[in-house]
Amino acid sequence: MTSNDEYVLEILLEHGMVTSEEVEAVRASMVNTDESVVDVMIASGQLSELETLKLLGEQFAMEVISLREIDISPKTRDMITVETARRFNVVPIYKTDDTLTVAMTDPLDVEILDSLRFSLKINVEGVLALREEIDVAMDRYYAAETTMESMLNQLTDGTVDVAVTGREDVIQDAEDGGDSDAPIIKLVSLIILEAYRSRASDIHIEPLEKKFRVRYRIDGVLHEVDSPPKRLQSAIISRIKIMAAMKISEKRVPQDGRIQVNILGRELDLRVSTVPANHGESIVMRILDKQNLALGLPNLGFFSDDQQTFENLVKLPDGIILVTGPTGSGKTTTLYACLNHVNRPDRKIITVEDPVEYQMSGINQVQVRADIGLTFSAALRSILRQAPNIVMIGEIRDAETANIATEAALTGHLVFSTLHTNDAPSAVTRLLDIGVKPFLVASAIRAIMAQRLVRCICDECREEYTPHSSDFIGLGGHAKELEGRDLTRGRGCPKCQLTGYSGRKGLFEIFMINDEIQKMIFSKASSADLRAKGRENGMKTLREDGMRKILSGMTSVDEVLRVTMGDD
């Protein structure tokens, strides 16, 4: 044990944070090891690392900070190379005038600051931070330098297996890439692998003027990751287009493709879209995980009352059940969960989708192909002659599709579909606007459910806190429900990448069609009047459901404000 360790122990003993008996017991268990007694006691839980840092910070006049609350600019980060940062275990935080402030874990290691002052030729000051937060920040801000070479070397053949389907010349090109292509092949595989490990739903690859940007959408929020060099842009885009069986030479028009991958034994489908942009082709890869199909209705985020209501709806023999919301609000996942719930050997289920996102056993799935005339409406006319019990339409886009869906519902079929509206009652006026007759809408629709996705508070780092009144700005009249209540938030940890959130669940607004509502639809009532009547009948709005989920500890005020409109 070093003299520094002894000095720290003396301070801890003096302030009563440890006893001499505890120290001696730990020392006795550390025979023939070079570990620090302090580190061992922190690791075992006998000492709090944060409290230890605060005490040492007071002794050495050093501030203790939380790195999760700090956003480090690329300019500040680049003042220290990744090799230097990892050697000294420091992270640059900010620069003012001629002084650079770095976060470190050991206040006694003054040689670190001296070495940095000498090499950078500027004044360097230190602040203290938790070791775990420094490790996470290191991985976050210096990922590119560590992954582009070291991680590529660690990525072994077979970690990501790609099955390419499509034109034979493209498949041959993909399989027989020369040695010169091997680094690019590995790099693309690494981008996909890291997206999967980060729980990303989309990979965005965007050529900018001086940068080739890669971003992952995690829990509905885009996060920029350290990106490959700009000079590799053309090679990476070509590789992805080869994998997705697209035309490599065609760069003027958008293209769509698909990639099947096996990552660490798990089957994934990647839906690939390219769009020509100013500085090259922009690519988005949507990650479709087949195991997510195991989601049942309880996993979507329903409270017991809403779940019971919705389960009763999907058991109806006929009618239309609509799920509404913007793109990315989880409508398709909800529809698949419904199909799983009702999928039994005695029922015939047919879906019409564009595209077919997941392959489901026991269900007939039809892929829309507008290029050969197989549109939603054309497919619907044909499948109704197949005598299905349940029909799922990926989206109602036009009057013809809407009219066929309502006719199907009125002739004994249960129809599930989606519509792009902001709330549930607005779906009625939307159908009327596109040309469906009011009596058809009133007679066919059984219920409309609007939904949004909110990020869930991380289970590993959740904590209770007493909110300030300023936290409720934007909640309007709902703020009274939270006054005087302790709420839940995430501190941020490595599992949630310091965001405080992990995973997503739904907020739901279920608008039931009863006799009163039917009469209002006949008379072409406005969506505001329908909404008022729905609330009078017991409908909980998205904001109200969000309030319940804040109080239950599922999500936060900020998340509910982010995805819902006020009811006032």
Side-chain angles (χ1 to χ4, degrees), residues 65-360:
I65 65 164
S66 172
L67 284 179
R68 68 183 177 87
E69 299 173 353
I70 293 176
D71 189 19
I72 302 169
S73 70
K75 186 175 181 180
T76 302
R77 176 202 64 189
D78 293 342
M79 293 190 69
I80 296 181
T81 65
V82 61
E83 293 81 6
T84 302
R86 292 201 179 276
R87 183 168 75 250
F88 293 135
N89 200 33
V90 298
V91 175
I93 305 300
Y94 49 81
K95 182 180 181 295
T96 56
D97 297 328
D98 62 342
T99 299
L100 175 67
T101 301
V102 300
M104 55 194 297
T105 59
D106 188 354
L108 281 79
D109 200 343
V110 293
E111 293 183 3
I112 290 178
L113 300 178
D114 290 339
S115 298
L116 290 174
R117 290 180 188 121
F118 178 78
S119 60
L120 299 177
K121 303 296 188 291
I122 60 172
N123 185 39
V124 179
E125 300 294 339
V127 294
L128 299 178
L130 294 174
R131 191 183 308 273
E132 183 179 64
E133 290 191 0
I134 285 183
D135 290 341
V136 171
M138 197 85 69
D139 291 338
R140 178 181 178 187
Y141 293 106
Y142 288 106
E145 289 82 352
T146 56
T147 58
M148 290 308 156
E149 293 187 19
S150 62
M151 291 188 69
L152 280 174
N153 292 333
Q154 295 170 16
L155 191 65
T156 58
D157 294 336
T159 303
V160 180
D161 291 328
V162 180
V164 184
T165 57
R167 307 186 330 268
E168 288 302 320
D169 59 322
V170 173
I171 295 172
Q172 191 67 28
D173 201 3
E175 292 176 345
D176 297 339
D179 292 340
S180 61
D181 296 330
I184 298 301
I185 292 171
K186 274 192 166 188
L187 181 53
V188 172
S189 295
L190 178 65
I191 290 171
I192 297 171
L193 177 63
E194 287 304 303
Y196 167 73
R197 285 175 170 166
S198 302
R199 301 179 296 104
S201 60
D202 303 89
I203 304 170
H204 293 250
I205 298 176
E206 303 160 318
L208 305 178
E209 184 179 3
K210 297 180 180 179
K211 185 178 181 181
F212 187 45
R213 183 168 67 178
V214 176
R215 295 190 289 176
Y216 296 155
R217 189 180 295 279
I218 303 170
D219 293 335
V221 178
L222 282 171
H223 297 268
E224 184 170 350
V225 296
D226 291 289
S227 307
K230 177 75 173 174
R231 58 186 172 80
L232 298 181
Q233 172 180 312
S234 178
I236 290 172
I237 291 174
S238 295
R239 172 60 187 168
I240 293 172
K241 291 173 74 173
I242 287 173
M243 293 166 66
M246 296 177 178
K247 295 179 181 178
I248 306 170
S249 58
E250 183 56 81
K251 302 178 181 179
R252 301 165 298 170
V253 298
Q255 296 188 67
D256 293 305
R258 197 170 202 137
I259 304 171
Q260 293 180 328
V261 297
N262 183 303
I263 296 181
L264 305 173
R266 189 158 182 163
E267 293 289 339
L268 301 180
D269 279 344
L270 274 63
R271 204 171 78 207
V272 185
S273 169
T274 69
V275 173
N278 280 346
H279 304 290
E281 291 174 282
S282 174
I283 294 181
V284 175
M285 292 188 279
R286 179 87 181 273
I287 301 173
L288 306 173
D289 188 348
K290 295 179 181 179
Q291 293 192 23
N292 285 343
L293 281 179
L295 278 179
L297 292 179
N299 304 112
L300 298 177
F302 286 112
F303 276 166
S304 56
D305 54 347
D306 284 342
Q307 183 179 329
Q308 185 61 52
T309 299
F310 200 65
E311 285 183 355
N312 291 337
L313 286 171
V314 300
K315 292 175 184 175
L316 292 173
D318 55 37
I320 296 177
I321 297 172
L322 286 176
V323 182
T324 77
T327 301
S329 60
K331 301 186 299 294
T332 303
T333 301
T334 297
L335 288 184
Y336 277 121
C338 292
L339 294 181
N340 263 339
H341 190 74
V342 298
N343 187 12
R344 299 201 308 261
D346 62 337
R347 292 184 175 183
K348 178 158 185 169
I349 302 174
I350 302 181
T351 73
V352 185
E353 304 170 66
D354 182 22
V356 174
E357 294 195 1
Y358 297 100
Q359 305 290 335
M360 299 184 70

Side-chain angles (χ1 to χ4, degrees), residues 371-565:
D371 57 329
I372 60 171
L374 186 60
T375 60
F376 274 109
S377 53
L380 272 173
R381 285 195 201 92
S382 299
I383 67 172
L384 290 179
R385 291 193 286 271
Q386 298 273 312
N389 301 102
I390 298 169
V391 177
M392 192 268 270
I393 307 168
E395 182 185 347
I396 293 178
R397 297 179 178 177
D398 52 48
E400 190 175 9
T401 303
N403 279 310
I404 296 172
T406 53
E407 289 168 10
L410 293 173
T411 53
H413 303 87
L414 181 61
V415 180
F416 296 111
S417 190
T418 69
L419 202 61
H420 287 277
T421 60
N422 288 330
D423 61 7
S426 297
V428 171
T429 51
R430 170 66 179 148
L431 289 173
L432 297 178
D433 286 343
I434 65 176
V436 185
K437 293 181 172 60
F439 76 90
L440 285 176
V441 175
S443 303
I445 294 180
R446 297 288 178 262
I448 304 165
M449 184 176 77
Q451 73 175 64
R452 298 290 189 277
L453 291 178
V454 289
R455 292 182 291 174
C456 298
I457 294 169
C458 176
D459 289 332
E460 294 293 321
C461 62
R462 62 170 51 239
E463 64 179 11
E464 288 193 350
Y465 75 105
T466 302
H468 190 269
S469 58
S470 61
D471 296 335
F472 303 148
I473 294 175
L475 285 178
H478 291 296
K480 295 179 181 177
E481 301 174 39
L482 303 182
E483 289 176 358
R485 306 283 293 268
D486 282 347
L487 302 182
T488 308
R489 64 184 175 191
R491 292 190 311 275
C493 65
K495 179 186 175 183
C496 63
Q497 299 176 334
L498 297 180
T499 62
Y501 300 100
S502 180
R504 289 189 292 173
K505 292 285 178 72
L507 303 182
F508 304 100
E509 175 180 286
I510 303 177
F511 181 57
M512 304 291 293
I513 307 297
N514 58 17
D515 291 342
E516 287 181 290
I517 301 292
Q518 283 185 335
K519 291 176 183 177
M520 294 179 71
I521 296 173
F522 279 135
S523 60
K524 296 186 179 181
S526 69
S527 58
D529 291 338
L530 291 170
R531 184 178 182 82
K533 177 57 71 172
R535 296 185 71 178
E536 185 182 312
N537 292 341
M539 178 188 80
K540 286 182 283 291
T541 65
L542 290 166
R543 176 63 61 86
E544 288 168 342
D545 195 38
M547 296 302 295
R548 295 200 297 169
K549 284 164 183 174
I550 291 170
L551 291 170
S552 72
M554 178 188 292
T555 190
S556 68
V557 174
D558 289 342
E559 277 297 288
V560 171
L561 287 172
R562 183 175 67 87
V563 302
T564 64
M565 298 286 288

